[in-house]
């Protein structure tokens, strides 16, 4: 198969997109041959604001049903592939929306939420994020993990502190993930994961989605798609070909105001980090350029069967397990 044919034939899943939701983005997803994506509907929002986000997203999906469909099961992902559409899976980047109510976990599952990150950069009722001293998983957090296991929501640890992450990995009866991370072996950064952390999650049945967010790549905004492919290869050498996938962290369409909100604790308080200029790697600047990644991985010598796994098959397998299908 040619790279274009392989991409068109493969299930292509992005494990994390936090772009500006509109028809233009959905059109670009189709252009990129994206089968499904974990789309963020909550970061700093509480219960009510998150429900409002989901309500607005449901309406947007209905209005653009020629391009996208909602994803509740892996069968929906395959259905999206068959129909030539993109499946939209709802995800949180913070457990903040659960507030102090364990029962909200099941409510959000029923609303279509399939992946939830335990913390976003700082401490919440569950545990600690990666930008402050890590106190580990709380007693309440252990109950949240158990309830997420029960209802079928995947625990995400991308922005979570090292100790909290380790304790979630050990506590969970289902596979957990770093949906979007990079290795600190290529660049030291609070958001990147050490070789030991990557091996630990894989050894316990977990999963790693590799991001291309420029501030975390070794060459920053001068990175190219080859630098991203290098990071994928680096992680795969540690976790193996079955525990790896894509999680771009596309922020397409957002401006400065959005990043100001993201980078302040709770969306308004102390500044946690300053990303500076954000430019995606040359060759995959937009979602529509996704086929270039398949081509690049093939050019660098990755076998077709492994490319299929990395681009989406591995995500489908692990989600099927977590969702209890």
């Amino acid at each position: 198969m040619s790279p274009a044919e392989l991409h068109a034939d493969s299930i292509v899943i992005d494990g994390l997109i936090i772009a500006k939701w509109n028809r233009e983005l959905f059109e670009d997803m189709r252009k990129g041959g994206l089968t499904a994506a974990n789309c963020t509907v909550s970061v700093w929002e509480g219960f009510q604001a998150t429900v409002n986000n989901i309500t607005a997203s449901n309406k947007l999906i209905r209005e653009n049903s020629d391009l996208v469909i909602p994803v509740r099961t892996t069968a929906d992902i395959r259905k999206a592939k068959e129909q030539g559409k993109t499946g939209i899976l709802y995800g949180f980047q913070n457990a903040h929306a659960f507030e102090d109510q364990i029962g909200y976990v099941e409510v959000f599952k029923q609303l279509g939420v399939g992946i939830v990150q335990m913390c976003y950069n700082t401490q919440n009722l569950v545990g600690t994020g990666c930008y402050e001293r890590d106190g580990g998983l709380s007693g309440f957090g252990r109950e949240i993990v158990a309830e997420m296991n029960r209802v079928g929501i995947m625990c995400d640890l991308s922005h979570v502190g090292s100790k909290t992450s380790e304790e979630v990995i050990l506590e969970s009866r289902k596979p957990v993930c770093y949906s979007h991370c990079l290795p600190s072996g290529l660049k030291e950064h609070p958001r990147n994961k050490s070789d030991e952390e990557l091996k630990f999650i894989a050894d316990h049945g977990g999963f790693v989605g590799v991001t291309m967010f420029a501030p975390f790549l070794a060459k920053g905004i001068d990175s190219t798609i080859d630098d991203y492919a290098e990071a994928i290869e680096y992680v795969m050498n540690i976790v193996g070909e079955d525990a790896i996938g894509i999680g771009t962290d596309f922020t397409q369409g957002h401006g400065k105001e959005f990043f100001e909100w993201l980078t302040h604790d709770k969306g308004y308080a102390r500044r946690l980090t300053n990303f500076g200029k954000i430019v995606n790697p040359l060759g995959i600047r937009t979602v529509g350029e996704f086929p270039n990644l398949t081509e690049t991985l093939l050019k660098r010598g990755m076998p077709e069967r492994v490319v299929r796994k990395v681009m989406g098959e591995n995500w489908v397998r692990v989600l099927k397990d977590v969702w209890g299908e």
Side-chain angles (χ1 to χ4, degrees):
M1 279 189 182
S2 71
E5 288 169 337
L6 181 65
H7 188 83
D9 191 58
S10 298
I11 285 178
V12 180
I13 295 180
D14 194 333
L16 198 288
I17 291 184
I18 187 171
K20 191 173 181 64
W21 309 120
N22 52 33
R23 184 172 178 85
E24 184 181 5
L25 178 73
F26 293 156
E27 288 171 343
D28 214 33
M29 285 176 163
R30 277 293 77 223
K31 180 184 173 185
L34 202 57
T35 311
N38 168 24
C39 300
T40 301
V41 292
S42 185
V43 183
W44 297 119
E45 295 94 338
F47 177 85
Q48 184 61 62
T50 300
V51 170
N52 293 347
N53 288 346
I54 291 172
T55 301
S57 297
N58 286 346
K59 182 171 182 284
L60 188 64
I61 289 171
R62 277 198 312 275
E63 291 171 347
N64 293 277
S65 58
D66 58 321
L67 293 171
V68 292
I69 66 169
V71 166
R72 300 292 185 96
T73 65
T74 55
D76 292 332
I77 294 174
R78 299 194 184 279
K79 180 179 167 187
K81 183 67 181 176
E82 289 165 10
Q83 295 183 357
K85 297 178 182 180
T86 300
I88 303 298
L89 156 67
Y90 292 155
F92 295 175
Q93 288 214 50
N94 199 342
H96 185 61
F98 294 152
E99 298 184 356
D100 60 355
Q101 301 295 316
I102 293 169
Y104 287 177
V105 176
E106 185 170 28
V107 169
F108 280 119
K109 173 65 176 181
Q110 291 168 345
L111 292 177
V113 176
I115 299 178
V116 168
Q117 186 166 254
M118 310 312 288
C119 318
Y120 188 77
N121 294 337
T122 57
Q123 194 163 13
N124 61 18
L125 295 178
V126 167
T128 313
C130 61
Y131 280 102
E132 57 188 4
R133 188 177 63 184
D134 192 348
L137 186 65
S138 69
F140 174 74
R142 292 180 196 282
E143 294 188 57
I144 288 291
V145 170
E147 183 67 354
M148 287 172 67
N149 285 171
R150 185 185 76 81
V151 305
I153 295 178
M154 191 172 203
C155 299
D156 183 0
L157 304 168
S158 303
H159 288 250
V160 178
S162 181
K163 184 175 175 61
T164 300
S165 294
E166 179 184 344
E167 292 181 358
V168 171
I169 291 166
L170 294 173
E171 188 73 23
S172 180
R173 293 177 290 100
K174 291 287 188 177
V176 304
C177 71
Y178 297 126
S179 70
H180 58 300
C181 77
L182 280 165
S184 56
L186 293 178
K187 182 177 182 176
E188 194 62 45
H189 191 283
R191 264 282 282 113
N192 291 351
K193 308 300 179 184
S194 69
D195 292 3
E196 293 75 21
E197 287 172 311
L198 293 169
K199 187 174 187 307
F200 190 79
I201 195 171
D203 285 350
H204 290 81
F207 189 86
V208 181
V210 185
T211 186
M212 58 171 204
F213 192 61
F216 309 150
L217 285 164
K219 296 180 185 173
I221 61 171
D222 296 322
S223 301
T224 68
I225 196 168
D226 273 294
D227 297 310
Y228 181 35
E230 179 192 11
I232 292 169
E233 292 160 0
Y234 184 101
V235 172
M236 196 190 316
N237 283 336
I238 296 170
V239 306
E241 65 183 53
D242 295 317
I244 188 170
I246 304 300
T248 63
D249 208 4
F250 265 118
T251 54
Q252 203 164 318
H254 284 304
K256 185 180 177 184
E257 187 178 324
F258 176 76
F259 289 104
E260 285 294 303
W261 176 72
L262 269 190
T263 56
H264 283 76
D265 193 8
K266 310 299 182 279
Y268 65 86
R270 63 192 171 92
R271 179 183 285 283
L272 299 167
T273 184
N274 189 356
F275 294 136
K277 187 177 181 183
I278 296 171
V279 180
N280 290 329
L282 182 65
I284 190 162
R285 292 263 159 91
T286 65
V287 182
E289 292 185 300
F290 243 103
N292 294 347
L293 183 56
T294 297
E295 182 177 8
T296 300
L297 293 175
L298 289 168
K299 273 185 183 174
R300 292 172 67 94
M302 192 178 287
E304 278 191 15
R305 64 171 185 81
V306 180
V307 171
R308 286 181 185 272
K309 287 182 178 183
V310 172
M311 294 304 289
E313 284 181 4
N314 285 342
W315 263 123
V316 174
R317 190 195 71 254
V318 75
L319 288 172
K320 190 171 186 178
D321 185 358
V322 174
W323 293 348
E325 297 172 11

